[in-house]
Amino acid sequence: MKTFFIILLIVLTFQNNFSQQIFSPDGKLELNIKLSNQNELLYNLSRDGKSVIKDSKLGIDLVDQPDFLQGFKIDTIITSTYYDKWAPVWGEVDSILNNYNQLQVTLNQPKENRKIIVTFRLFNDGLGFRYEFPVQDNLKYFRIAEENSNFALTGNHKTFWIPGDYDSQEYTYTTSLLSEIDASKGKNFDDIIVKSLPGKDIVQTPLMMKTTDSLYINIHEAALLNYPAMYIKVDRNNFNLSTQLCPDAFGTKAYMQTPCKTPWRTVIVSDKAEDILASKMILNLNEPTKYQDVSWIKPQKFIGIWWGMHVGKDTWNYADINNVKLDEVDWNSLKPNGKHGATTENTKRYIDFAAKHGIDAVLVEGWNIGWEDWFGNWKEEVFDFVTPYPDFDVNELERYAKEKNVKLIMHHETSASATNYERRLDEAFNFMKEHGYNSVKTGYVGKIIPRGEHHDSQWMINHYTRVVEKAAKYHISVDSHESVRLTGLHRTYPNWLAAEAARGNEFNAWSKGNPPEHETILPFTRFMGGPMDYTPGIFQIKMDYYNPGNTHQVHTTLAKQLALYVTIYSPIQMAADLPENYERFPDAFSFIEQVPVDWSDTKILKAEPGDYIVIARKDKNSDNWFIGAITDEESRSFEIPLGFLDKANYEITVYQDAQDADWKNNPMAYNIEKYNVQKNDLLKLKLAPGGGTAVILKPIK
Ligand code: NOJ
Ligand code: CA
């Protein structure tokens, strides 16, 4: 399809009391902008004539300089239309339509003799807007005290929220009215180790809301570059939302130099929950990749020396010592603790398992020195990323993995010492390349160094980007944990395969865990910005299997763990349980063996945040379709018309909860059925409380 970009209208030198509008390409959404009596910039958004966002102010507060809040005069307005189709390197679909109408307003502040541009893009699925600061005599360097983008909502909407924490998104969601939000509390609130909570009324994005007349509204951001992450301040009486940025060590929000721009602020809106999940607007607002060659970027499934540590069976550390100074320890003379997971022998066992079951890669955590006291000391030099423990033979494992045609995934836990990591990055990536690694899982557990910075402050946003850009030079892909939540930057940096940046499955191993509804909310929140390394596939649901009396458990059935491979989208998916647990259930594991991580098509069949999700996806490399259906704590039945299939006849394999399965009392009971279906059949699914169904459809002649 041809790309086109048409400028429809140029209007010069406006008087005040003007108002200007654009519509989405399908005519459903309408955006209006105007100036208030104080000459502030206001916008409003409606859908099918119904208000979504009432008149709301836009502007920026500066430090030590007059603000960009009022006293505006319209200089120019340019409207245009854009239409393009593009192919992502990997993704949920193989072709993405990027179609919007744009309104770009240049505002003058005659008193200051300064200019600011606000660009609005209206898609069929929502609105994006951003501020731009062109080169000009009276604005060169400036600091942002706060961004004042407002979203005046039409009522007390139902909201799926987590606290606006500068250092963590690892919370479970609370569903409440806007008026009831209290970000100093929440479910499973005490599980979070590092908390930086600015206020009761501050929540994270993506913020998902539902109005009383069933309009779904999602607020987030796109293309977060050289700027802090944004939170939402909720006026709990008037239902006005406003932006609040993550501060740096001095309390400053952002340091800017013209020409520059902010990330896009996004409002995705539909009367169908399914449309929210299908939206590609955030990706479309990101720039195409500048990488010339992307052939080295590979979606992948992996297993890892990982869950053993989370369930307390293995350790990351080699010896039981503390107060470690990296250079001063003679590692060879230390007595091992006998529980070290990352040994050569154990890694070979994982490589063998991966080779046998067609799993692409093996992650090894705890392979490098430093884990003896890695966390909580605010210590700068924790890991050097190039020195293996004495029982991890990096050369032999390189050879062995190559022989078995399995990739090894490097682990770089930084202990949040980002300065240390940056200093050592070239050496660390060179070491990876020398030993055949092409993917890295990074991690930022703890308080950030540079001290006083936050996981979401501008310095760290730039850090994550620097790591991904440098990794690309080495043809390395990144899966970042405890990094900022994603904003569609994987369009620009397709080697940023996934981030964690939310509460993953790991919490089920050692805390109150994730309630059964958690995975039905995540796609409407965290996943709006991009893939998450959620680590599905835990078969041994209850932790008393490892330690009698341990009451922790995964809050799903086993069948739901399979369905997550379809309902959760990521080009890098872990089969997170221990190989020995998969060997106990080979028939269920066959689903994980077969499920792809790259798709040519996706149909969001049924969805309601907090309740259920049913998604069908087509494999990018075959004609096979896969369906994942998940529910919250309620048992549910679905009737799925199979009309979306592209062939007439299929063999279907259904991995489902047993009749008496239940996430709490009988989570591991499942059965598998195989039969033939046709395109016009109705597929009936029955999900247990906390359950799920996973389906494979293979065309037959
Ligand atoms: C937290 C990560 O989410 C987890 O996957 C990892 O095992 C630990 N940090 C240690 O790096
Ligand atoms: Ca984590």
Side-chain angles (χ1 to χ4, degrees), residues 270-450:
S270 178
D271 55 0
K272 292 190 196 64
E274 292 80 8
D275 292 349
I276 304 288
L277 299 187
S279 173
K280 296 287 170 282
M281 191 182 99
I282 288 175
L283 265 180
N284 279 327
L285 287 168
N286 279 270
E287 292 300 314
T289 185
K290 292 189 191 75
Y291 300 165
Q292 297 290 320
D293 171 20
V294 290
S295 62
W296 50 275
I297 301 170
K298 300 268 189 259
Q300 53 193 294
K301 262 183 287 184
F302 69 105
I303 55 170
I305 298 184
W306 179 74
W307 189 244
M309 280 83 99
H310 287 268
V311 300
K313 195 178 142 286
D314 305 321
T315 62
W316 281 276
N317 52 304
Y318 168 77
D320 291 334
I321 53 166
N322 55 42
N323 198 18
V324 172
K325 291 194 170 161
L326 278 187
D327 296 344
E328 293 175 11
V329 180
D330 176 6
W331 296 95
N332 287 308
S333 69
L334 276 181
K335 187 169 153 304
N337 68 5
K339 286 180 78 181
H340 186 215
T343 64
T344 307
E345 194 194 343
N346 202 24
T347 308
K348 284 190 175 174
R349 184 168 70 90
Y350 275 72
I351 293 172
D352 290 343
F353 182 89
K356 182 169 164 202
H357 296 281
I359 304 286
D360 306 294
V362 174
L363 164 77
V364 188
E365 295 200 2
W367 67 277
N368 60 323
I369 59 167
W371 289 91
E372 279 61 26
D373 85 305
W374 67 285
F375 163 70
N377 304 318
W378 226 328
K379 191 168 76 158
E380 175 129 12
E381 304 275 311
V382 188
F383 298 103
D384 71 2
F385 313 102
V386 293
T387 313
Y389 282 121
D391 57 351
F392 186 82
D393 186 340
V394 69
N395 294 317
E396 170 58 12
L397 286 167
E398 177 189 355
R399 187 200 64 77
Y400 195 76
K402 203 167 171 197
E403 179 186 304
K404 298 274 170 155
N405 198 21
V406 169
K407 283 279 170 200
L408 287 170
I409 300 179
M410 178 53 75
H411 186 224
H412 289 165
E413 173 58 64
T414 67
S415 184
S417 182
T419 42
N420 179 47
Y421 192 39
E422 287 205 13
R423 278 196 297 278
R424 298 176 186 270
L425 206 49
D426 276 300
E427 216 192 327
F429 285 162
N430 272 318
F431 180 85
M432 282 180 60
K433 289 321 271 186
E434 275 164 25
H435 293 98
Y437 292 73
N438 61 4
S439 313
V440 63
K441 170 177 168 180
T442 59
Y444 297 89
V445 173
K447 288 264 189 193
I448 294 292
I449 302 180

Side-chain angles (χ1 to χ4, degrees), residues 303-304 306-307 350 536-541 546 574-579 581-582:
I303 55 170
W306 179 74
W307 189 244
Y350 275 72
I538 301 302
F539 282 9
Q540 179 49 55
I541 299 289
Y546 305 102
M574 187 171 202
D577 211 334
L578 308 174
N581 287 336
Y582 290 138

Side-chain angles (χ1 to χ4, degrees), residues 170 445 481-482 500 502 506-507:
E170 300 191 353
V445 173
H481 278 230
E482 295 85 41
E500 183 193 41
E506 65 188 25
F507 272 78

Side-chain angles (χ1 to χ4, degrees), residues 639-668:
E639 295 198 339
I640 315 284
L642 293 176
F644 62 85
L645 292 170
D646 34 24
K647 301 269 186 294
N649 297 296
Y650 288 80
E651 176 199 78
I652 187 170
T653 315
V654 184
Y655 301 73
Q656 61 200 355
D657 298 315
Q659 273 303 322
D660 55 351
D662 172 296
W663 71 272
K664 192 156 185 53
N665 300 315
N666 191 19
M668 290 162 70

